[in-house]
Structures are given as structure tokens and as C-alpha cells.
């Protein structure tokens, strides 16, 4: 009789944070260390150790590695805890749950995240993000949603005001596919592309487009956003993966740097955008 496979840990992201906290606390006790002594060995505050063990703070992978060295954890445990720490620093938000909770609630979360972020890096693989979209394009992107999206449209448009906050810096890299995918009617697409061109004049916005052509040996697989250098979100058809581990963020920063080198900017970008908009108008 066949046995059902055990679900992978990546399906248990919600509980991994608490599992990690309990395991780290148990390892400290097995090592015969007080919270204060462990804190000194790790060059952390005792209050931080306490918050980690109580699940109130999500430790970074570097924090976990420091604790494991301090408690002299055996190699087998190190591998298990390190894997658990990486999962604890990753979150999955599936689109079905987001819709059930209300897509406008996700917009409120994004607004709060954007308020606390100084530097934004967006790579857009297949469509235009809400911060750059016209109202018609936003409505078109939500046209097939089974729930009412009127509040979501309003929230997306409200969020666009952050582009005019000159204390923040934005870099948007869009593929030709993202710009030209015919999500809405041709005349509406032309206006949307015009909006992209107009945003290139904002002093705190750097917008680049990657035309199809030439040689680009690195091929991105997903749309992603990096907030400062502390968080990265990766989007696909079924949901969003949120990375907080510094190594995952570093990998996305390296990829973004490569993709930046493929893009056209300023006048070259505006000329290409004008050509694409003209093609829609014709």
C-alpha cells in the first residue's frame, strides 16, 4: 500500500518561526547556558535572545549561526536548524487566501511597507506594476478577479503618491513583454505606455526598459521587488514569496544589477516607449 508523502517544510512556513524559537531555546538549555551568558557569547543583548526564544523576533540566518556556534551544536543539528531558519525567514502568501481576506488589505500592507522603505528596486517581467499603472490598466489587471475590486483599485491609485516623495528612490526595470503585453484595448495601452515615459522625468525615479534583442545570457524567471536591502518579494501566478534572509536578498540584488545593465534609460527609453505607443495607436 502506497504511503502519502510528508508535506515539505516549505508548506509549513507559518509554524517554522515558532519551531525555530523552541529549538534554539532547547539547545541553550542543553548547553547549560543562561540567556545572559549566551547573549555575551553571541555579542547580542539578553533581551534579543529572549525575544528570539519567545518567537517575538525572527532571527536572521547569521544570528542563528552565531547561536549554534555558541552552544556548540553538533553538525547534524546545525544542518537541521539552519534549514529551519531559512524557511522561517521565508513567507508564502497564496492568491486564494489574499482574495478571501480582501485584496485591498494587501494594498494597505504594501503602503505600510513602502512608507518605511527608502530605496525600491522593481523588476517587471510580464506586466506593469500598480505604482506605474493608469486606472484603466489597473482595472484591466483585476478584471478576472472573482471578488469586488473597487477598493483595491482605489488603494492602488492612492499608493502612487509615494512616487512623488523625493526622499525615496525608485528603480523600475521592465522587459519589452511587460510594457507591450496587450492587457487592455490598444488605445488604453498607448496611454499606459505614455505614462511610463512621463514618469522617467521624475528626479527620484529611474525607469529602464529591456528590448528583446541582442545577447542577454541571464534569463530571469519571476517578477520581484527589493525593499532597501532587507526584504525581497517574488511574484508568480499563484502567490507571493517573501524573503528576509540576507543571502536570498543578496542573490536578488546581484540579479537586479545584471538586469539593469541590459536596459535602456532616459531618452533612449523614451524613444523606445514612444515607438511602442505609436504602434498601438496605429
Amino acid at each position: 500500500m502506497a504511503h502519502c508523502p510528508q508535506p515539505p517544510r516549505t508548506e509549513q512556513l507559518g509554524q517554522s518561526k515558532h519551531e525555530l524559537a523552541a529549538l534554539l531555546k532547547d539547545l541553550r538549555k542543553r548547553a547549560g547556558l543562561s540567556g545572559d551568558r549566551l547573549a555575551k557569547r553571541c555579542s547580542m543583548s539578553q533581551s534579543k535572545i529572549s525575544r528570539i526564544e519567545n518567537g517575538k523576533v525572527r532571527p536572521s540566518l547569521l544570528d542563528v549561526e552565531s547561536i549554534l556556534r555558541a552552544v556548540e551544536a553538533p553538525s547534524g543539528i546545525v544542518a537541521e536548524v539552519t534549514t529551519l531558519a531559512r524557511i522561517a525567514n521565508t513567507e508564502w502568501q497564496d492568491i486564494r487566501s489574499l482574495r478571501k481576506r480582501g485584496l485591498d488589505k494587501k494594498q494597505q500592507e504594501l503602503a505600510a511597507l513602502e512608507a518605511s522603505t527608502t530605496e525600491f528596486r522593481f523588476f517587471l517581467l510580464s506586466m506593469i506594476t500598480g505604482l506605474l499603472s493608469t486606472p484603466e490598466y489597473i482595472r484591466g489587471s483585476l478584471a478576472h478577479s472573482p471578488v469586488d475590486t473597487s477598493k483595491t483599485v482605489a488603494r492602488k491609485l492612492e499608493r502612487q503618491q509615494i512616487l512623488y516623495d523625493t526622499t525615496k528612490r525608485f528603480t523600475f526595470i521592465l522587459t519589452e513583454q511587460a510594457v507591450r503585453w496587450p492587457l487592455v484595448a490598444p488605445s488604453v495601452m498607448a496611454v499606459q505606455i505614455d505614462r511610463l515615459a512621463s514618469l522617467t522625468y521624475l528626479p527620484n525615479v529611474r525607469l529602464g526598459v529591456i528590448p528583446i534583442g541582442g545577447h542577454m545570457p541571464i534569463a530571469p524567471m519571476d517578477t520581484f521587488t527589493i525593499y532597501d536591502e532587507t526584504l525581497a518579494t517574488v511574484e508568480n501566478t499563484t502567490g507571493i514569496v517573501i524573503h528576509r534572509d540576507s543571502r536570498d536578498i543578496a542573490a536578488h540584488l546581484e540579479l537586479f544589477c545584471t538586469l539593469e545593465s541590459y536596459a535602456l534609460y532616459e531618452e533612449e527609453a523614451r524613444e523606445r516607449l514612444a515607438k511602442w505607443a505609436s504602434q498601438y495607436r496605429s
Side-chain angles (χ1 to χ4, degrees):
M1 181 177 177
H3 294 281
C4 293
Q6 291 297 311
R9 274 214 151 106
T10 50
E11 294 181 7
Q12 304 171 4
L13 297 179
Q15 66 189 51
S16 60
K17 174 182 174 183
H18 301 291
E19 289 179 9
L20 178 63
L23 187 50
L24 291 174
K25 185 175 184 178
D26 183 60
L27 287 171
R28 173 181 63 76
K29 288 183 175 181
R30 288 189 189 185
L33 295 174
S34 65
D36 186 56
R37 286 183 63 196
L38 177 61
K40 289 178 180 177
R41 287 191 181 188
C42 298
S43 299
M44 297 182 194
S45 67
Q46 193 277 330
S47 61
K48 181 175 180 179
I49 293 292
S50 177
R51 291 196 300 273
I52 288 172
E53 292 184 351
N54 291 323
K56 294 181 178 178
V57 167
R58 181 186 286 104
S60 70
L61 199 56
L62 293 176
D63 289 336
V64 170
E65 288 173 349
S66 179
I67 292 171
L68 291 173
R69 285 195 299 270
V71 301
E72 299 179 352
S75 58
I77 292 293
V78 169
E80 179 183 349
V81 176
T82 300
T83 298
L84 192 58
R86 197 175 191 92
I87 295 170
N89 278 278
T90 306
E91 179 183 345
W92 167 249
Q93 296 180 347
D94 68 273
I95 190 64
R96 293 182 300 278
S97 297
L98 291 173
R99 284 171 176 163
K100 185 175 180 180
R101 189 163 59 94
L103 293 176
D104 59 303
K105 301 294 192 303
K106 179 61 179 177
Q107 296 305 308
Q108 291 174 335
E109 290 178 6
L110 287 171
L113 177 58
E114 289 161 357
S116 63
T117 301
T118 300
E119 184 163 5
F120 303 76
R121 299 173 177 90
F122 290 80
F123 173 69
L124 306 171
L125 178 63
S126 57
M127 63 183 296
I128 299 166
T129 189
L131 287 181
L132 305 177
S133 299
T134 63
E136 294 81 3
Y137 189 95
I138 291 173
R139 282 190 282 270
S141 71
L142 297 169
H144 298 289
S145 174
V147 298
D148 177 49
T149 59
S150 55
K151 288 184 179 179
T152 304
V153 173
R155 295 282 185 271
K156 280 179 175 279
L157 292 172
E158 288 172 6
R159 283 176 49 223
Q160 293 180 357
Q161 294 304 309
I162 200 166
L163 292 175
Y164 303 94
D165 182 346
T166 55
T167 66
K168 299 179 183 292
R169 299 185 302 278
F170 299 85
T171 303
F172 296 94
I173 306 298
L174 298 88
T175 66
E176 181 174 341
Q177 175 175 298
V179 176
R180 302 185 68 183
W181 186 266
L183 185 73
V184 289
S187 61
V188 181
M189 282 299 304
V191 173
Q192 172 60 75
I193 296 173
D194 289 343
R195 171 167 168 75
L196 295 178
S198 70
L199 291 172
T200 65
Y201 291 102
L202 290 180
N204 58 325
V205 172
R206 185 171 185 247
L207 190 150
V209 295
I210 302 177
I212 295 174
H215 178 223
M216 293 177 282
I218 302 298
M221 303 299 291
D222 302 287
T223 285
F224 63 90
T225 306
I226 306 168
Y227 298 86
D228 289 326
E229 296 185 5
T230 58
L231 187 146
T233 63
V234 180
E235 298 178 47
N236 58 40
T237 304
T238 56
I240 303 168
V241 180
I242 301 173
H243 295 285
R244 296 182 179 85
D245 185 271
S246 59
R247 299 176 194 186
D248 292 326
I249 296 167
H252 282 89
L253 283 167
E254 182 179 359
L255 175 58
F256 191 85
C257 183
T258 299
L259 296 170
E260 276 188 296
S261 70
Y262 298 160
L264 305 177
Y265 300 94
E266 298 179 346
E267 194 56 40
E268 283 187 307
R270 288 189 284 269
E271 288 176 1
R272 192 60 62 102
L273 290 167
K275 176 183 177 182
W276 294 337
S278 177
Q279 288 172 342
Y280 268 113
R281 289 192 169 93
S282 64

